[in-house]
Amino acid sequence: MKHVDSTQVQNRMGTRLLINKLAKSIFFLSTIFGLIVLVILMYRVLSQGVEWIDWQFITGKLSTMAENAGVMGPLLGTFWLMLVVAPVTLILGVGTAIYLEEYAKKNRLQSLIQTNISNLAGVPSIVFGLLGLTVFVKGMNLGNIILAGGLTMSLLVLPIVVVASQEAIRAVPQYLREASYGMGATKWQTVKNVVMPASLPGILTGSILALSRAIGETAPLVVLGIPALIIPFPDNIFDKFTVMPLQIYYWTIDSALVDEYANLAAAAIVILLLLLFAMNSIAVIIRNKFQKRL
Amino acid sequence: MSTMTGKDKKFTEVAQNKENDTTINTSNKTVFETKDLNLWYGEDHALKDINLKIPENQVTAIIGPSGCGKSTFIKTLNRMVEMVPIVKVSGSIAYRDKRIFDPRYRVEELRTQVGMVFQKPNPFPKSIYDNIAYGPRIHGIKNKKVLDQIVEKSLRGAAIWDEVKDRLNENAYGLSGGQQQRICIARCLAIEPDVILMDEPTSALDPISTLKVEELVQELKKDYSIIIVTHNMQQAARISDKTAFFLNGEVVEFSDTNELFSNPEDKRTEDYITGRFG
């Protein structure tokens, strides 16, 4: 006796195929939703801001007069901030990752540290702002200068760099390490010559994404008490500064007073998005380039 | 007999407890001698009272069914087994006149004398040249001329020089599996070891590449002592001088290969080599 009744199979076929199509549509709509939001966002920002973007806007100094304002100050602020954040997070983040993956024994202490780092990645950025205010601005009496802001941002993105680097290091096949140890290499020689080169693309990708997160963050710097208007360009890490997202924030809340500030904010958003887009593209290019090699 | 964990310190404690002297008298015809070697992965007793003398300049094959401890055994000889964190070892292993668990004999030094070729070809994602030069470089050789000589000698030694001499700067991943494995053998030769451990070196290779590696092993035994793990009994019979049959972590029989295959003493050996199990 047959268990599969072919007429029943025939009868059910229509419903099954219908559900199949339905599932596909739901998934497609989910995908398109994000795209629609992005298009609306881009449209609003571009229609408000693109006319305001000119050479004067990019290279000029900040000003209370909307038509005279330029964003070179915040751009330089962002640049100097990254000059602090990049080395600090790379050295501390990659160092931590190497220690945890290659040296630390897999015991309870290690798993405690691991859990803590993962939890830190989930701490709201404003809390890091408070930490920065307490430790760097007040505690070390640095004031709200680039160094203090950079160290605060470093703490914020450090967990991201650590976790991304750990994943990259873990992805290095064990047999490559064995080959190195098998020839009498020390741990450091193995890390330096085998593990690091093989995990570098992953580490760089993660770090660039973390940096672009730091570039976009606003809340911690608000807490540090960065003033709303800083006209002189910063030219070292001990200068006062402002950054792009913060300037966008101030222009937006002041647009109630001066209508044109909304346009300035939109124009600044366009430039910030271009910057972030460029950085993310670099991360993708690095990943693709090195993936082929391994 | 006390047990110990995989950490160097503990390892050496036992070694010291058992013997107060670093050196022991082994005839210069023996490269490795194990005494009452026991090994545990956690609770799993993987090697039981192994007492073996591995001869110099011969090919010693280790055969046995999967999970019998044959890979564990050769990984213990260069202490690679310690990469598994839960390993415990007791007993002693002498490499020539050195006790390998003695703290004064560093593991890096041991692995320079005792090279290893792994089951799956594992070249580095570097050029062929850099693969071979890796070992000499980590041991401090920087002179380009010397490195060039080592690379050529090693590649010739592994019978792959003619195939790769025009593409030394190409990535080793571009080679076939069989070529990659001979690159790994060449890489091992480049540190000029005394003993070469081979852990099923042909199990991932096609028959023709396997044949080439087997021929190479025959060549290499003139200059090196070779210990090869294989699950292929024909291979053991073809290429080895001595054969040890492992079963459930014990050495059932260890004798001349011809003897072991034609006239096994133990019933279990006979059953295994005639294909009744395994």
Side-chain angles (χ1 to χ4, degrees), chain B residues 191-255:
Chain B
I191 57 172
E192 296 179 351
D194 173 32
V195 183
I196 302 176
L197 307 175
M198 295 183 163
D199 186 4
E200 300 195 31
T202 61
S203 67
L205 305 185
D206 61 84
I208 291 168
S209 303
T210 299
L211 187 67
K212 282 187 180 165
V213 171
E214 287 184 6
E215 284 168 0
L216 180 56
V217 168
Q218 291 304 307
E219 275 301 306
L220 291 174
K221 77 171 189 181
K222 292 171 194 154
D223 301 309
Y224 306 90
S225 310
I226 295 171
I227 305 169
I228 182 167
V229 165
T230 176
H231 59 232
N232 180 332
M233 281 176 288
Q234 286 75 27
Q235 182 171 69
R238 277 195 300 269
I239 65 175
S240 72
D241 305 299
K242 290 257 189 183
T243 298
F245 171 54
F246 274 57
L247 186 63
N248 299 327
E250 287 173 71
V251 180
V252 173
E253 197 164 340
F254 179 51
S255 61

Side-chain angles (χ1 to χ4, degrees), chain A:
Chain A
M1 183 198 143
K2 284 179 82 177
H3 290 278
V4 181
D5 182 342
S6 60
T7 45
Q8 273 195 359
V9 169
Q10 282 294 330
N11 291 342
R12 285 184 190 139
M13 192 63 82
T15 329
R16 282 172 51 204
L17 290 178
L18 188 69
I19 293 173
N20 192 38
K21 274 190 179 149
L22 202 67
K24 183 187 164 187
S25 321
I26 290 171
F27 296 136
F28 177 71
L29 286 176
S30 316
T31 314
I32 216 79
F33 178 78
L35 200 64
I36 290 169
V37 172
L38 184 70
V39 168
I40 293 172
L41 184 85
M42 292 308 290
Y43 172 75
R44 251 192 75 82
V45 168
L46 284 174
S47 64
Q48 275 198 309
V50 81
E51 285 160 27
W52 288 73
I53 299 176
D54 53 19
W55 191 243
Q56 194 272 329
F57 181 75
I58 295 170
T59 58
K61 288 188 170 170
L62 288 172
S63 166
T64 48
M65 306 288 289
E67 53 272 29
N68 291 337
V71 291
M72 190 37 97
L75 276 176
L76 284 171
T78 294
F79 170 77
W80 280 105
L81 193 73
M82 286 310 107
L83 235 47
V84 175
V85 175
V88 172
T89 48
L90 268 182
I91 292 166
L92 292 182
V94 178
T96 306
I98 290 174
Y99 179 76
L100 288 177
E101 288 303 315
E102 298 291 321
Y103 290 89
K105 294 179 197 116
K106 305 281 175 269
N107 55 21
R108 289 174 74 178
L109 179 69
Q110 195 262 357
S111 78
L112 187 76
I113 296 174
Q114 189 68 63
T115 316
N116 263 297
I117 288 171
S118 308
N119 283 341
L120 273 181
V123 170
S125 58
I126 196 150
V127 178
F128 282 99
L130 285 170
L131 179 73
L133 181 68
T134 319
V135 177
F136 303 123
V137 177
K138 298 254 172 77
M140 290 163 68
N141 211 13
L142 290 174
N144 45 20
I145 59 170
I146 291 171
L147 182 61
L151 291 174
T152 308
M153 281 296 191
S154 302
L155 293 181
L156 173 69
V157 297
L158 200 52
I160 308 174
V161 176
V162 173
V163 172
S165 304
Q166 275 187 290
E167 268 159 26
I169 290 169
R170 223 174 289 150
V172 177
Q174 190 64 12
Y175 55 74
L176 292 183
R177 291 185 186 86
E178 284 176 352
S180 177
Y181 289 129
M183 280 182 279
T186 62
K187 191 147 236 173
W188 166 238
Q189 287 176 322
T190 304
V191 167
K192 184 178 64 144
N193 298 318
V194 177
V195 178
M196 285 310 292
S199 57
L200 200 60
I203 290 175
L204 281 182
T205 308
S207 303
I208 293 173
L209 293 179
L211 284 190
S212 60
R213 163 104 195 268
I215 287 179
E217 271 293 340
T218 324
L221 296 180
V222 174
V223 180
L224 294 191
I226 309 283
L229 187 65
I230 291 185
I231 293 173
F233 291 161
D235 52 24
N236 65 60
I237 57 169
F238 301 103
D239 277 352
K240 303 243 175 204
F241 74 112
T242 187
V243 292
M244 290 297 279
L246 203 58
Q247 195 56 46
I248 291 165
Y249 169 71
Y250 285 133
W251 271 332
T252 308
I253 55 175
D254 288 346
S255 65
L257 308 171
V258 183
D259 286 345
E260 284 81 18
Y261 282 179
N263 301 91
L264 289 178
I269 288 171
V270 173
I271 290 175
L272 182 62
L273 285 179
L274 284 177
L275 189 67
L276 294 179
F277 182 69
M279 287 188 67
N280 289 5
S281 307
I282 291 170
V284 171
I285 290 167
I286 290 177
R287 191 169 51 208
N288 291 348
K289 189 175 171 216
F290 285 92
Q291 245 167 13
K292 276 179 219 138
R293 251 186 33 186
L294 244 179

Side-chain angles (χ1 to χ4, degrees), chain A residues 175 180-181 183 189 193, chain B residues 83 111 122 126 134 138-139:
Chain A
Y175 55 74
S180 177
Y181 289 129
M183 280 182 279
Q189 287 176 322
N193 298 318
Chain B
M83 288 181 73
R111 290 175 188 161
N122 59 351
K126 302 172 188 279
Y134 185 90
I138 60 171
H139 293 295

